[in-house]
Amino acid sequence: MSADPRHHRLQVTAAGRLDAVLSGALSLSRSRLQALIKAGKVRVDGAVAARPRQPVHPGQWVEVDEPPPPPSGLVAEDLGVPLLHVDDEVVVVDKPADMVVHPAKGHPRGTLVNALLHLISAARVAAGDHPTPPSRPGIVHRLDRGTSGVMVAARTPDALQHLAAQFAARTVQRRYAALVWGAPRQPKGTVDAPLARHPKDRLRIAVQDGGKRAVTHYEVVGEARHGIAGDARGGVISLVQCRLETGRTHQIRVHMHHLGLPLVGDPLYGRRRPVPGALRPLLGALDHQLLHAGVLGFAHPRTGAHCAHQTAPPPDFVAVLEGLGIPVPFRS
């Protein structure tokens, strides 16, 4: 093997078509190999391969040259994001509440993508692999900037496709903890209400006929009375565990608001609710919704094995819960 990790040289051990033989020997997708063959980057016994279906036989030598990934313009940054798991296919992290997922106008750096590039590179160095930074990680789902918790990203095109299919088929397990003002009429239930962009405020999502179907299952797992006389919601703050059946933008935040239960700290859907004076020492400095993705379960893209990851809420969320006397969810 060459010292260059993008140059592969191997000897054929079983007859077959070129792309099939290579896909069984290299950690590259069949579509990626076919593109490399068509681009003249694959040689058989020194001659450029003619086509992906070209037959090869035992004893022949095949060389594959992967071109370097195009510059992504992204910078790997050590942002202190906790790494829960990494392998050749996926990386799983615990996203902080104050972090944007994708670089965008106004947020070119300091995003989860920047952090993922660093984490993947560091993992490769620790494993003795070539330290060349990877190309853009494959984000398959998102969490709002103010939402913390478990996220998975794909490291290969095949993994990206596999994970995206799982999210589309609604087989991924997602459980969240949400602290809300008030208490639901029923301690356990389902919100099945379509969501679409708000007709007058493009930053908001709203329950609207004709929107995309959105389903949230919820259950109250803790509550505290804050003792404010005359409060329309009875002076109660509830910790609600939500299980997503669909994954729409702002889904939990909007569905809870639809029930008359805005999330504590939500700057977009709870901004009209002032913090009672007695709770200002505990909540006064809060600048984001107290929503945490505590559990994420999926089938591993390569092995099919069930992968489940769990993480407790971040310190500011924990401090509020402990101050209210509500048990902290998702602790090991």
Side-chain angles (χ1 to χ4, degrees), residues 53-329:
R53 297 173 59 88
Q54 177 176 328
V56 291
H57 307 281
Q60 289 186 299
W61 285 94
V62 180
E63 294 177 270
V64 179
D65 288 308
E66 290 185 80
S72 64
L74 297 173
V75 178
E77 296 181 87
D78 184 359
L79 301 174
V81 174
L83 177 65
L84 304 180
H85 173 81
V86 63
D87 59 36
D88 290 340
E89 307 292 331
V90 300
V91 56
V92 184
V93 297
D94 185 6
K95 185 188 92 66
D98 60 348
M99 181 171 285
V100 174
V101 172
H102 279 292
K105 185 178 180 180
H107 297 284
R109 299 185 57 172
T111 72
L112 182 65
V113 167
N114 299 107
L116 285 171
L117 292 174
H118 167 77
L119 290 170
I120 294 171
S121 295
R124 294 180 67 177
V125 171
D129 200 354
H130 195 276
T132 303
S135 56
R136 179 188 294 264
I139 302 294
V140 269
H141 66 128
R142 300 190 184 191
L143 295 178
D144 298 335
R145 176 176 184 172
T147 302
S148 58
V150 189
M151 284 191 66
V152 61
R155 295 187 60 185
T156 68
D158 284 349
L160 180 64
Q161 183 178 8
H162 197 286
L163 288 171
Q166 293 184 58
F167 276 92
R170 303 178 185 176
T171 59
V172 176
Q173 298 173 331
R174 288 174 287 178
R175 285 194 289 150
Y176 292 68
L179 195 66
V180 303
W181 292 106
R185 293 182 179 178
Q186 300 295 328
K188 187 175 182 180
T190 297
V191 183
D192 187 344
L195 300 180
R197 188 70 59 181
H198 194 285
K200 296 182 179 179
D201 185 346
R202 302 303 295 172
L203 296 178
R204 293 163 62 105
I205 305 295
V207 172
Q208 295 188 65
D209 292 337
K212 293 182 179 179
R213 189 180 184 220
V215 181
T216 304
H217 306 283
Y218 70 87
E219 181 178 3
V220 177
V221 294
E223 67 177 31
R225 292 193 173 274
H226 52 71
I228 305 301
D231 189 284
R233 296 176 179 82
V236 176
I237 292 179
S238 301
L239 181 64
V240 180
Q241 190 170 122
C242 297
R243 179 173 61 85
L244 292 186
E245 186 173 318
T246 58
R248 308 302 180 194
T249 300
H250 298 179
Q251 179 172 316
I252 293 174
R253 299 165 68 186
V254 178
H255 273 174
M256 291 297 102
H257 183 267
H258 181 64
L259 293 180
L261 308 167
L263 269 65
V264 173
D266 194 329
L268 191 58
Y269 299 97
R271 58 190 176 190
R272 295 177 181 172
R273 173 155 191 135
V275 176
L279 293 180
R280 285 175 190 164
L282 191 61
L283 303 176
L286 196 62
D287 61 356
H288 66 92
Q289 65 273 7
L290 290 183
L291 179 62
H292 177 71
V295 174
L296 182 70
F298 56 91
H300 192 275
R302 179 172 53 82
T303 67
H306 179 69
C307 301
H309 299 276
Q310 177 173 307
T311 181
D316 62 346
F317 199 156
V318 170
V320 171
L321 292 174
E322 291 179 342
L324 293 170
I326 297 176
V328 178

